[in-house]
Structures are given as C-alpha cells and as structure tokens.
Amino acid sequence: MKATCSTPQNYIRHTLNSIYNSNSEITQKVKVDNFDSHSESLCRCRESGNMLSSSLIRTFRCVRGKFLPISCNQLQKRKFSIPPPGSAVAEVLDAITRLELSHPRWPHSLALTYPWLRDHCRCSQCYNYKTFQRIHDVYKIPLNIRPASVKTNKEGVVIEWPDGHKSQYDYKFLWQNSFEGKRTSFKEQRVLWTASKFPKEALTTVPLSELSNPDKEGMKKLISSIVKYGFGFISEVPADVESTRAAVEEICPLKKTFYGEAWAMEANMEYADTAYSKERLGAHTDTTYFSQACRIQVFHCFLPADQGGENLLVDGFNVAKQFHDRHPEGYKFLSETALPSEYIEEGRHHLSLDTIFKHNPATGRIKQFRYNIYDRAPLSSIPLEHMQEFYLHLRNLTSIVRNPKNEYWIKLEPGKVLLTDNWRLMHGRAAFSGRRIMGGCYLDNDDFNSKALVLGIDVD
C-alpha cells in the first residue's frame, strides 16, 4: 500500500527520505538541524502553490564529491550586502536562482543567474589571458549551483562557491557583458539618410595622409563613418590599382574572389556581369550569390566617362525602415522567406539561398539588406500559395528603392576612393558613353569588424 502523510511534517519527512533513498547522485546524507522549523518553512512554500517535491529534488541534487546539498533554510531569499546610503558599493540580493545587483551608478538593477556567474569567472584558473579563451569546463557547472557567500566592495563582487573557489567580478564587466546591461547601454550609431539629407563631405572624408596617423585618428573617423552612414571616402589617393590597394589595406587585407583582389574594370564584358557594360544599373547590393556577401565594396574612378556614368547611392537601411513602416506584413515575409541568387559563367556557378532582410539574432536589429534583382535565380524556394504574395511584397519594396527621394547621385572623380557598406548601402550607375575605368576591391565582414572592434567601435 502507498504510504500516506497525515501531517505536513510527516509529508516533508517522507519526501526527504524518498529523495535520499532514490537519488543515486547524492553520495552523502546531510543531517537537517531543527527539522520542525525547516518543515514549517517548506509547508508554507507548499501552501503558496509551489511544487514542493520537484523543488526539493532540484535543490538536493549535486555533483558527486564537489557540492553539498543546500539546506532547507537556504531556499529563502538572502540579502548578502546592504551598503550604507551614498555608498559606491552594490546592494546584493540572493534570489534563489540568481543574484540581483543594484548599484548607485546603474540606471536599473541586474539579475544574473548563478550558472552564468560561475561560467564567467575570470580568474587565471578559469580563463587564459594569453589566448583569451576559457579554461573552466562549463559542463561541470551544476544548474542549481548557489554561492556559499557573496561580498561587495568598491570595485566589484566577490563570490565564494560551495567548493571553495572564489570569483571576482568588476561592476563594469558585469554591466557591459550582461544582456540587460548591454541593452541599456546601447547607443544608436546609425544615421539614416535620404537624398536631401546626404551627409556632408567633412563628416565622411579622410585624407590619405591622416589614415594611418594615430594622432589624427583618421582610421577611426573612416570606420565610424562607414558604420554611421554606410560609406566613407579616402581622399588624395593616386588613381591607380596599387595605390588604391595600399590605401584600403590600411584597414584590413583585401578579400580575394574570382574577380581577384583589386581590379580596374571597363565596359569589355571580361566577366559575365552587367557591371562590365555601359548599361544603366539600378540600385542593388553586390555578391548576393555568395553564402556571405562581401562586406565593404570599394570604388575608385580612374577615368570618368565622356558622358554619363554617375554613381547612384541609396541607404538600404532607410529603405528597410520605410518598407517596415508601410508594409509590415511584407517586411516580415521578406525577413523569413529565402530567395535564390546566382552567378553563372563558363566553368563557374555560384548559388546562394537567403532572405532580403537579415537581423541580429540577439537584438533583432537589421544587420544586412540583400537586394539584387539582377542576380535572382529561378524562384524555386517559394510554394505556389505564397507566390503572388512574394511578387506583391517585392514590388512594394522596389517602389521604395526607386523613389527619387531616396536616390543620391554622385560623380566620382580620380583621387577620391569611396568605401560602401555592402550590407547596407545600395549602389548603381547611369548609362555612359566613351571609355570609363573604375577601380575596386572587396573587404570581408570578419576583417572589417575586427578593425572596428580594435578601435572601440561597436559594429552593431
């Protein structure tokens, strides 16, 4: 017959005995002092609707030989530290599964789970400062881990864990690397623009002589301009391939593709691409047929056309915002529906399947706009019932892309190198006559981001 518990105290005693007898993970029994007082506390938890048995199981499971079970009275919240008024020390509250920190310089408190805190210990036993890699095995961190003690001082928080290990955390580290702290500290750097609000030249142009001069901070200004506006200029660059290469390589190595590393292109159809013609090109982004489109595209006009050939620039993120505001259902569709793009020539076939709008998986902010109606492959990725919907949304999007209010036309001249964020800025070209030579190259996303982060520039 199944045992019954006539009183709450007997229920507690029976539950604990069941756990001790059945749980193979517990290697030693812990004597619970003042059982009656503990059972009263647990009974109150039961009466309040908590799942007592499962809570006890989660609490009393531990890793063999390393962490002792937590006694019943530790299930209640504990205030580890209450600083005096006006102190620069954080107030710490133990909230059973997490630590809650309130610092006078923070706009709000932080809640950090104990597994996260143990995982982010930065002592030399847990983190290799030569390789900047973790040492401590995350697999060995119990999910129900709780600290033995927590202390605070002016610099940060000191936690002692049940196995005796001590971890120290600076307040700045906790704020900058927690989800809530990072989200609150975020400052929007991007500035969206239209043709009438195109950024002034002084904000986006850096002379070559200042690019590598740390005192002038030319490199930081250039990268900041690309992140902020989607483009930047380097002036005073000799109009040839090698000089252009040398200037751009101040940022990072060039990305090698089947076009090469750096080039001078003319209307000779050297490659099976409309760019190698004299035809008009509407606004688009490049290399959508690669699994990861090139991040930075570089233009340097070595020889302007006799007539025409002006360059078109459109802020893709501004287009995305307008489209989102006017057609939210279309924005959602083109953010979730992948479209095929391809490049084909003799002996070469590149094919990629991706969405037009791509977003940061943590913040949801747009991080890439892939738009190229020329390189679209046969549309086999959308079922029949959604096909009309797709063409409606693409048509609405294209009408915004082609709105003259969003189009800025510029005549590039020799000596001035244009660097565009190919994940944001669309470019195009007017038809032209006569000879026209345009130099260029690509930069990879990872290399560009690395340079920005080294300079202290947030790329997202």
Side-chain angles (χ1 to χ4, degrees):
M1 176 179 285
K2 185 178 181 180
T4 59
C5 304
S6 58
T7 66
Q9 286 79 6
N10 287 339
Y11 174 82
I12 301 298
R13 199 183 308 275
H14 173 72
T15 303
L16 290 174
N17 287 335
S18 298
I19 295 171
Y20 286 141
N21 292 332
S22 62
N23 189 357
S24 61
E25 290 183 80
I26 296 180
T27 59
Q28 55 179 318
K29 295 182 181 180
V30 178
K31 181 180 179 181
V32 180
D33 298 326
N34 301 321
F35 179 82
D36 290 338
S37 63
H38 292 313
S39 62
E40 289 176 4
S41 174
L42 287 171
C43 288
R44 287 195 295 272
C45 292
R46 185 188 182 197
E47 292 168 359
S48 66
N50 289 343
M51 298 297 293
L52 177 62
S53 180
S54 60
S55 296
L56 286 170
I57 292 173
R58 288 196 301 271
T59 302
F60 276 82
R61 281 183 178 172
C62 60
V63 176
R64 182 177 289 105
K66 291 197 174 182
F67 294 92
L68 293 176
I70 300 169
S71 61
C72 299
N73 65 334
Q74 288 178 297
L75 287 172
Q76 306 302 315
K77 289 186 176 182
R78 301 174 290 177
K79 276 202 173 183
F80 281 121
S81 173
I82 305 177
S87 172
V89 177
E91 178 179 345
V92 182
L93 173 66
D94 171 27
I96 302 177
T97 60
R98 65 188 186 275
L99 201 67
E100 295 181 0
L101 293 169
S102 298
H103 193 279
R105 294 181 181 177
W106 291 349
H108 58 75
S109 62
L110 287 182
L112 305 166
T113 68
Y114 292 126
W116 186 96
L117 285 163
R118 183 62 190 90
D119 184 37
H120 285 77
C121 178
R122 285 301 191 259
C123 76
S124 59
Q125 292 177 303
C126 298
Y127 191 78
N128 188 328
Y129 282 90
K130 291 182 178 179
T131 64
F132 299 98
Q133 293 175 299
R134 299 176 193 248
I135 299 174
H136 187 66
D137 187 357
V138 65
Y139 183 75
K140 295 181 180 179
I141 301 175
L143 296 180
N144 68 337
I145 189 172
R146 293 183 76 190
S149 68
V150 180
K151 297 179 181 179
T152 59
N153 52 45
K154 291 183 178 180
E155 286 72 37
V157 181
V158 180
I159 295 180
E160 182 175 350
W161 301 102
D163 61 354
H165 186 83
K166 288 187 177 181
S167 303
Q168 301 184 40
Y169 311 90
D170 294 338
Y171 294 128
K172 183 178 181 181
F173 174 85
L174 295 176
W175 181 260
Q176 291 182 342
N177 293 283
S178 64
F179 179 84
E180 292 296 336
K182 192 169 185 178
R183 184 172 65 174
T184 302
S185 328
F186 173 78
K187 294 180 180 179
E188 181 61 73
Q189 298 186 73
R190 300 170 182 168
V191 175
L192 308 185
W193 51 266
T194 59
S196 62
K197 295 183 179 180
F198 191 77
K200 296 184 182 298
E201 182 178 2
L203 299 175
T204 61
T205 305
V206 176
L208 179 60
S209 58
E210 296 182 7
L211 193 60
S212 57
N213 188 336
D215 297 330
K216 298 289 185 179
E217 293 193 326
M219 181 63 71
K220 189 170 186 178
K221 179 182 177 181
L222 177 65
I223 302 297
S224 297
S225 176
I226 296 173
V227 172
K228 190 172 185 178
Y229 303 113
F231 68 93
F233 292 99
I234 307 174
S235 61
E236 303 174 3
V237 180
D240 60 73
V241 172
E242 290 307 314
S243 297
T244 304
R245 173 200 287 269
V248 176
E249 282 183 332
E250 292 286 343
I251 303 173
C252 62
L254 308 187
K255 179 179 177 63
K256 187 175 182 179
T257 67
F258 61 85
Y259 296 111
E261 287 186 339
W263 55 80
M265 57 182 291
E266 298 188 50
N268 56 13
M269 294 306 295
E270 179 181 358
Y271 290 93
D273 195 307
T274 314
Y276 287 80
S277 72
K278 295 184 178 182
E279 299 176 21
R280 183 189 185 278
L281 282 173
H284 65 280
T285 61
D286 261 27
T287 61
T288 53
Y289 41 77
F290 287 163
S291 57
Q292 185 184 71
C294 299
R295 180 61 188 271
I296 304 298
Q297 183 163 3
V298 177
F299 301 90
H300 190 181
C301 184
F302 298 156
L303 179 66
D306 296 336
Q307 186 175 0
E310 294 85 1
N311 289 84
L312 169 65
L313 302 178
V314 178
D315 186 351
F317 285 178
N318 194 14
V319 167
K321 182 181 184 304
Q322 294 176 45
F323 184 65
H324 177 274
D325 294 344
R326 298 177 195 176
H327 308 283
E329 71 290 342
Y331 188 90
K332 183 176 185 294
F333 184 93
L334 296 179
S335 296
E336 299 173 347
T337 306
L339 311 175
S341 300
E342 66 181 354
Y343 175 95
I344 302 175
E345 67 174 23
E346 184 67 30
R348 191 182 305 281
H349 189 175
H350 293 279
L351 179 66
S352 177
L353 187 67
D354 216 330
T355 58
I356 288 180
F357 302 111
K358 300 185 69 173
H359 303 84
N360 183 304
T363 65
R365 297 176 74 239
I366 186 170
K367 71 172 185 178
Q368 185 177 1
F369 181 36
R370 298 168 61 100
Y371 178 89
N372 191 316
I373 61 174
Y374 304 104
D375 291 336
R376 292 181 302 119
L379 192 55
S380 57
S381 59
I382 299 178
L384 176 65
E385 59 267 26
H386 295 300
M387 195 62 72
Q388 286 295 100
E389 187 180 2
F390 162 73
Y391 282 107
L392 170 64
H393 297 322
L394 183 63
R395 183 182 182 86
N396 289 335
L397 174 61
T398 301
S399 69
I400 298 175
V401 171
R402 296 181 180 179
N403 187 333
K405 293 182 179 180
N406 293 323
E407 297 180 334
Y408 184 82
W409 290 91
I410 182 173
K411 184 80 170 181
L412 294 179
E413 298 291 341
K416 195 170 186 179
V417 178
L418 169 63
L419 299 94
T420 66
D421 183 350
N422 187 54
W423 285 21
R424 168 181 174 177
L425 201 74
M426 290 180 283
H427 65 275
R429 178 193 68 207
F432 64 91
S433 60
R435 192 182 182 194
R436 179 179 184 265
I437 304 177
M438 183 68 68
C441 57
Y442 292 124
L443 300 182
D444 186 69
N445 174 61
D446 294 322
D447 291 331
F448 175 76
N449 283 350
S450 174
K451 188 67 173 185
L453 291 172
V454 167
L455 294 171
I457 301 170
D458 189 353
V459 292
D460 185 28

